[in-house]
Amino acid sequence: MQHKFITFIGGGNMAQAIIFGLLQQGYPAHKLMVCDPNPSRRDIFAARGIMVSDNNIEAAIRAEVVLLAVKPQMMEAVCLPLQAVDFSHKLLISIAAAISLQRLHDLLPSAANIVRVMPNTPALVSAGMSGLFAAPSLAQDLKDFAEALLAAVGKTCWLAQESDMHKITAASGSSPAYFFAFMEAMQLMLMDSGIDENMARLLVQQSALGAAKMAEQNPQISLSLLRENVTSKGGTTAAALAVFNRCGLDDMVKQAMAACIARSQEMEKLF
Ligand SMILES: NC(=O)C1=CN([C@@H]2O[C@H](COP(=O)(O)OP(=O)(O)OC[C@H]3O[C@@H](n4cnc5c(N)ncnc54)[C@H](OP(=O)(O)O)[C@@H]3O)[C@@H](O)[C@H]2O)C=CC1
Ligand SMILES: O=C(O)[C@@H]1CCC=N1
């Protein structure tokens, strides 16, 4: 992939996951810059040979690609001073949840080339999942660059319509947290039953990893069949799954994802 000069505005959790993932894939540190007001955040990137700054305007001016990685509620305060920068020949990538293309155009009127991305933190270990959206008028080479950037740290998909970004947020951006919560609950139960914390974690994380790998490596087998293959009639798994069914797991997951989508839609109006 091309190695354009990228300035990240915001050096928090998600920026770190993408940047460290990119470094692992050989993206040159001297082509990356991170702007964050927090010195301890800047130190994390400087330690990896990445240029750091607390001056968003200067850092944006020197970039070919500016990647906005601040919280949605900070977006307006961050963008208004950036209006001093001419974005007309730069690629602007926003990973912020719920901030629409129209809102980005309003906040940075000189930005002609914008891609919205919804990534997730497994980018850190090259196992990210990102949804991308851009206006149909965006030049193909810029779309290709944005896709290659995220493809370097995981898998990607382009959305046909921007409104689907809310669903992508529920499906990938937020979803690692659902799986962590599930693993936490399993670990807790094991610890309550007397299993040592580290062993409980190993048992849970290795089983989660194995299940995800089996799903990935057997695309021709439905998730239902993968589940059934574990479930002996009248056996132990069936006993566990019966509890999930009784407690309404499907409905709970549906409600949780719907809440995520609703919050994203609400935040789109707020910020
Ligand atoms: N975390 C995730 O899993 C995902 C996050 N996202 C999106 O990524 C974006 C960032 O999220 P996340 O990394 O979790 O958030 P963080 O709070 O971890 O990171 C945001 C960073 O921006 C810094 N910041 C605050 N003000 C400025 C400023 N004026 N200029 C530059 N940097 C500033 C913050 O510093 P300080 O803390 O000192 O305020 C913080 O270090 C959000 O919009 C979120 O929706 C998308 C997908 C997944
Ligand atoms: O929780 C959030 O709002 C962000 C967006 C997706 C993941 N984290």
Side-chain angles (χ1 to χ4, degrees):
M1 73 177 294
Q2 260 183 306
H3 293 148
K4 293 179 188 270
F5 190 102
I6 310 174
T7 287
F8 286 74
I9 306 288
N13 291 312
M14 195 58 238
Q16 186 176 344
I18 294 175
I19 290 169
F20 284 15
L22 286 173
L23 291 178
Q24 210 179 318
Q25 295 306 311
Y27 207 95
H30 71 271
K31 291 281 192 168
L32 300 171
M33 184 160 188
V34 177
C35 257
D36 198 292
N38 183 339
S40 63
R41 292 304 304 171
R42 293 200 298 273
D43 288 348
I44 290 171
F45 298 99
R48 300 289 295 265
I50 293 166
M51 273 170 286
V52 293
S53 170
D54 61 357
N55 187 324
N56 290 352
I57 295 179
E58 277 178 20
I61 285 173
R62 61 187 300 183
E64 295 171 275
V65 179
V66 174
L67 193 149
L68 296 171
V70 293
K71 293 278 186 210
Q73 44 272 51
M74 291 299 299
M75 195 55 89
E76 182 169 349
V78 166
C79 286
L80 291 181
L82 283 174
Q83 288 181 357
V85 179
D86 178 8
F87 280 90
S88 56
H89 298 293
K90 300 181 190 296
L91 173 62
L92 182 72
I93 299 177
S94 167
I95 63 166
I99 305 290
S100 67
L101 276 190
Q102 186 56 55
R103 178 72 174 138
L104 292 163
H105 276 298
D106 292 346
L107 290 170
L108 295 170
S110 73
N113 312 305
I114 309 182
V115 178
R116 266 188 82 185
V117 177
M118 178 47 57
N120 65 11
T121 53
L124 181 65
V125 291
S126 306
M129 179 68 229
S130 298
L132 294 91
F133 181 80
S137 57
L138 185 70
Q140 191 60 43
D141 64 315
L142 296 178
K143 281 186 194 162
D144 291 345
F145 177 80
E147 183 176 332
L149 188 74
L150 278 307
V153 293
K155 300 207 186 300
T156 60
C157 62
W158 282 97
L159 311 189
Q161 48 191 13
E162 187 173 10
S163 58
D164 284 345
M165 202 51 104
H166 300 299
K167 298 172 202 163
I168 299 299
T169 305
S172 72
S174 292
S175 71
Y178 318 158
F179 294 111
F180 290 132
F182 196 89
M183 288 194 276
E184 271 182 277
M186 285 179 68
Q187 185 191 29
L188 203 60
M189 186 281 167
L190 289 167
M191 286 162 61
D192 285 349
S193 74
I195 302 272
D196 152 76
E197 181 176 355
N198 290 334
M199 195 197 290
R201 177 163 171 162
L202 176 68
L203 287 160
V204 169
Q205 75 190 23
Q206 185 61 18
S207 302
L209 182 68
K213 274 194 175 167
M214 282 186 72
E216 186 194 31
Q217 290 175 19
N218 296 284
Q220 76 289 1
I221 306 181
S222 70
L223 297 175
S224 302
L225 186 54
L226 287 170
R227 170 178 49 75
E228 283 163 18
N229 289 344
V230 186
T231 313
S232 308
K233 217 168 179 195
T236 58
T237 316
L241 293 177
V243 176
F244 284 145
N245 274 340
R246 215 167 44 242
C247 295
L249 178 70
D250 285 4
D251 189 51
M252 193 166 57
V253 170
K254 214 181 270 181
Q255 283 191 48
M257 291 178 75
C260 186
I261 291 169
R263 178 59 183 155
S264 181
Q265 289 165 337
E266 185 179 49
M267 285 165 63
E268 190 173 53
K269 295 190 185 94
L270 286 172
F271 310 123

